[in-house]
Amino acid sequence: MLDRLTSRPKLTDDQKRRVPPGQYVTEKWPVLHYGSVPRTDLASWDFKVWGQVEEPFTFTWDEFLAMPRKALHTDIHCVTRWSRLDADFEGVPIQHILQRARLEPTARFVVEHCEQGYTTNLPLAVFDDDDVILADKADGQPLTPEHGGPLRLVLPKRYFWKSGKWLRGLEFRETDQIGFWERYGYHNDADPWKEERFSD
Ligand SMILES: Nc1nc2c(c(=O)[nH]1)N[C@H]1C(S)=C(S)[C@@H](COP(=O)(O)O)O[C@H]1N2
Ligand SMILES: [Mo]
């Protein structure tokens, strides 16, 4: 429901507590990315897992659809200050991928590799959590190409640039490697509750 004066959504007390500092709530889901929307041919699409893992592997779209699934009800926060509350995603829990890959003890960081060379990076300790999924559905529908379909990461505890759209691979590393927006001065840690928007 919209507030008549501000035409912003009316929030419950619980929702208000879930809005990080400096953010406003939007009911629409903005589309935000660098570059154009890639078109994907699911027949030739694949996803690679490599780096500091005992079991590097590649899976196809059909293999992805056969993996265990999970629904995620959560809030998302963009560094450009919009937050969307009570979003619904569905996909494969990241822990399924981590278990199958069998990480080396040396693996401490992850790089998400997306179409067109977009990357973003996270410590494994942030990435390995039960609210992180490889999502192919949002709000009950297949993820649209604009929002990262066929497959994106959803990692709600960090600003949303850490959730790569059109994700095609995960690289596990001993050392950190900053990604696309991080190179442009975005904060490497990106915690919305600490307002880690930009590096200094
Ligand atoms: N591949 C790719 N993923 C990306 C981006 C991008 O430029 N390229 N932008 C990020 C940013 S800044 C945000 S806020 C979210 C936006 O996702 P949405 O368009 O579905 O809202 O995607 C993130 N993932
Ligand atoms: Mo963003």
Side-chain angles (χ1 to χ4, degrees):
M1 207 187 14
L2 295 183
D3 183 282
R4 232 163 21 93
L5 292 176
T6 64
S7 65
R8 293 260 163 95
K10 263 194 183 151
L11 303 181
T12 64
D13 287 342
D14 169 62
Q15 286 176 321
K16 283 180 195 158
R17 276 192 290 275
R18 282 154 44 202
V19 183
Q23 298 291 110
Y24 69 87
V25 172
T26 173
E27 287 203 329
K28 292 205 187 98
W29 186 5
V31 170
L32 219 118
H33 55 261
Y34 178 81
S36 57
V37 175
R39 296 286 150 174
T40 311
D41 170 26
L42 290 181
S44 60
W45 181 94
D46 66 4
F47 191 104
K48 289 186 164 39
V49 178
W50 77 97
Q52 306 284 305
V53 296
E54 285 176 30
E55 206 68 54
F57 63 101
T58 300
F59 55 86
T60 64
W61 186 251
D62 284 345
E63 288 165 341
F64 173 75
L65 294 180
M67 289 177 182
R69 297 182 64 85
K70 157 173 196 169
L72 181 69
H73 182 86
T74 193
D75 307 329
I76 56 181
H77 313 290
C78 173
V79 69
T80 64
R81 297 185 182 274
W82 57 264
S83 288
R84 186 168 172 247
L85 304 181
D86 297 300
D88 282 296
F89 296 99
E90 203 189 299
V92 170
I94 205 63
Q95 278 138 350
H96 174 74
I97 304 294
L98 298 177
Q99 280 156 19
R100 181 159 161 197
R102 290 195 284 125
L103 300 191
E104 305 271 9
T106 47
R108 287 186 52 226
F109 297 93
V110 190
V111 174
E112 301 170 33
H113 289 267
C114 304
E115 300 281 0
Q116 301 170 340
Y118 182 92
T119 63
T120 185
N121 57 304
L122 288 155
L124 187 58
V126 175
F127 193 77
D128 180 5
D129 210 339
D130 54 15
D131 61 355
V132 179
I133 65 171
L134 297 180
D136 64 343
K137 282 190 168 181
D139 304 324
Q141 301 296 320
L143 198 59
T144 60
E146 291 70 26
H147 286 298
L151 184 73
R152 77 173 302 157
L153 192 88
V154 173
L155 188 145
K157 281 200 299 290
R158 293 294 179 263
Y159 284 124
F160 214 34
W161 88 79
K162 294 282 188 183
S163 294
K165 294 157 73 161
W166 315 295
L167 186 64
R168 292 291 300 273
L170 295 173
E171 175 190 1
F172 293 91
R173 299 172 51 91
E174 228 173 310
T175 56
D176 201 6
Q177 178 181 273
I178 62 170
F180 179 84
W181 291 117
E182 292 84 0
R183 275 196 289 279
Y184 279 93
Y186 282 29
H187 198 291
N188 201 27
D189 299 332
D191 183 343
W193 292 98
K194 298 182 187 160
E195 281 211 82
E196 293 171 331
R197 299 176 191 275
F198 307 104
S199 48
D200 53 64

